[in-house]
Amino acid sequence: MYDKEFLNSLSKKVKEWEEQLQAELKKFPERSERFGSRSGIEIRRVYTPLDLQNTDYLNDLGMPGEYPFTRGVQRTMYRGRFWTMRQYAGFGTAEETNKRFKYLLQQGQTGLSVAFDLPTQMGYDSDHPLAQGEVGRVGVAVDSLRDIEILFDSIPLKDVSTSMTINSTAAILLGMYAVTAQKQGANIGELRGTIQNDVLKEYIARGTYIFPPQPSMKIITDIFEFCSKNMPKWNTISISGYHIREAGANAVQELAFTFCDGIAYVDAAIKSGLDPNVFGKQLSFFFAAHNNFLEEIAKFRAARRIWARIMKERFKVTNPEALKLRFHTQTGGSTLTAQQPLNNIVRVALQALAAVLGGTQSLHTNSFDEALGLPTEESVQVALRTQQIIAYESGVADTVDPLAGSFVIETLTNEIENRVWEYIEKVDSLGGMVRAIETGYVQKEIHNSAYEQQLAVEKKEQIVVGVNAFQTDQEHQLKNILKVDPSVEERQVIALKKLRKERDNDAVRSALKNLKQAAKNGENIVPYVFDAVSVYATLGEITDTLRDVFGEYTESMIL
Amino acid sequence: MRIFRILIAKPGLDGHDRGAKVVAHALRDAGFEVIYTGLRQTPEQIVRTALQEDVDLIGLSILSGAHLQLSKKVIDLMKKEGIEHIPVFVGGIIPPDDVPQLLQMGVKRVFGPGTPLSKIVEEVKSILQEGVASTGGS
């Protein structure tokens, strides 16, 4: 970016400056001998153009909306439209969650994001023995199309964009959503939203897998194929680094393992005959925003550049729309503390600001009480207001990629990129991500990183305000913690039993039989799932049908 | 001196196992023998493992909000199997209001988010001491 002569004179100047500094350092030593980020990148005292001598502006940054998209996926970014403010919500029954959705929309939220309870994520109906105690706890309970009809009652699905955090049972929930929208009079080709549908990260970080990796990959490519034909505006996957980060990975590992997952999906889809120029447009990503402000901003910028290069160089994609990395961000749940919970408002604000400076397309801000339980209406309102203050009051959204050209931000962006490539090569050498997961390599890397981080907190190498420094004796007690009514489970089970009686059970049996046959024959199962859903087959019945064909995965123990 | 055996278990459907694994690792580094069950164990499986492995202590990790039901089930089953003398501790996202109820059930300690590993190790030692004292040593 700079000419040789200038860099030579600058280099001399920096040397001089360093020499003069030595005497000063003896008198006034720095706070620490070494400054570094959690991903092991050393943070230097000062950055200058010398650090960017190998950066080629046009090739490495380019203009916003152009390859390699380091500066953003759109030309105008937030000058055109703010990111989607999408608060993740769901608890109890569909009725209760429907009320929370309407509350959030009324407060100015611009997209819906559904949290499902664990039985729904695992393919168990609410009356399954393993569902006991879990119904409606960490998300809304969904057993059948009826629940989804109630969940989106009086919310016009043709107008909102909905993100659903659902993986192993994604095809079923997508079916329920699409059928509900049709019943409302919408054309499914117009629907906008995202299903998470990222199963690989379930094996390494989040645990809600059902089937073994190979059939899981098959279901995912079935969804790619179905949506590229029938639901072209729908994001068919949200390849998620968020959970990898929350499980203990550092920023570099978060990107690296997410992209290794992404490569595996693209590979699988190409092998099944799909064109990455087409399905590539419907891939989306999901990252975490943690506390190290500079590193996080650089991470998001590096992420766009790396994915664009993967798609172009590795998969020979030419369609610019399929080279763009679009992503949702959530502030880091695991960074929140139960101690002095109001401090979390500040953490969330900084993390959200990093996401916006990094160019996110959509953002969820955590509520300050989440280390203690599910958020209340009050705490979720503060979280949403945090986004609105950044958007409307801070001015950071008025120019595109405001921190570009900062010596430290560009240097960190480059360093993160280099380290991510090293991991991708390592996983390639192990035979790809599915293989690397099966051997436990990825899980072990993440676990070691989690343990190292905890030890750093114990040794006070890493300060957590209110936890290992600046503690107070009198802990602020939150008066309001959301409790899920224990009668939710009972009500849900009664409704489910009633449904099983009232529906056309012959139609259900026949739909499930067809689904089973299709799964056995290796056909695309999505249309069969949609058929089963529309006659009110339950989530558990559909999953059991697939379990019979595909089997279940058990993890290999890594410690 | 014999080496105490500790079972770290993840009951229920919750797949967030970072805390369970980190605590297991710390206990192992502190010199205990640690058995980790892996994800999604039913209370029956946990109690069976405790019996088969002849453990001295059970730690349950629950982040899904189902801690009251799941802890109760484990403790009830332990009584049924006659192993209620094995102490149980619970860790995870546990609202402070629920702690007294867990202790009343017979849970020895509850560790919320942010508890230092050193404190967990220390408390585990003290729980085991209590056990040794009450049975007159073994």
Side-chain angles (χ1 to χ4, degrees), chain A residues 203 209-213 437-438 443 551-558, chain B residues 37-41 45:
Chain A
Y203 302 109
Y209 44 75
I210 301 173
F211 315 113
I437 291 170
E438 284 167 349
Q443 297 91 314
E552 276 191 90
Y553 178 74
T554 41
E555 68 175 336
S556 53
M557 206 58 56
I558 287 106
Chain B
T37 59
L39 294 181
R40 291 206 289 274
Q41 298 291 300
Q45 287 169 317

Side-chain angles (χ1 to χ4, degrees), chain A residues 79 102 149 173 185 208 224 227 234 245 256 298 362 372 511 545:
Chain A
R79 285 169 67 95
K102 286 179 180 160
E149 289 167 352
L173 271 299
T208 65
F224 285 5
C227 289
W234 194 269
R245 186 68 181 277
S362 155
L372 299 157
T545 303

Side-chain angles (χ1 to χ4, degrees), chain B residues 47-82:
Chain B
V47 172
R48 207 179 314 135
T49 310
L51 272 166
Q52 281 167 359
E53 300 282 345
D54 191 21
V55 300
D56 300 286
L57 184 66
I58 300 173
L60 303 175
S61 164
I62 309 163
L63 284 82
S64 65
H67 44 274
L68 292 175
Q69 287 90 332
L70 290 168
S71 305
K72 185 163 185 315
K73 268 195 192 169
V74 171
I75 288 171
D76 287 349
L77 277 170
M78 287 172 69
K79 282 185 188 140
K80 215 170 124 195
E81 297 291 339

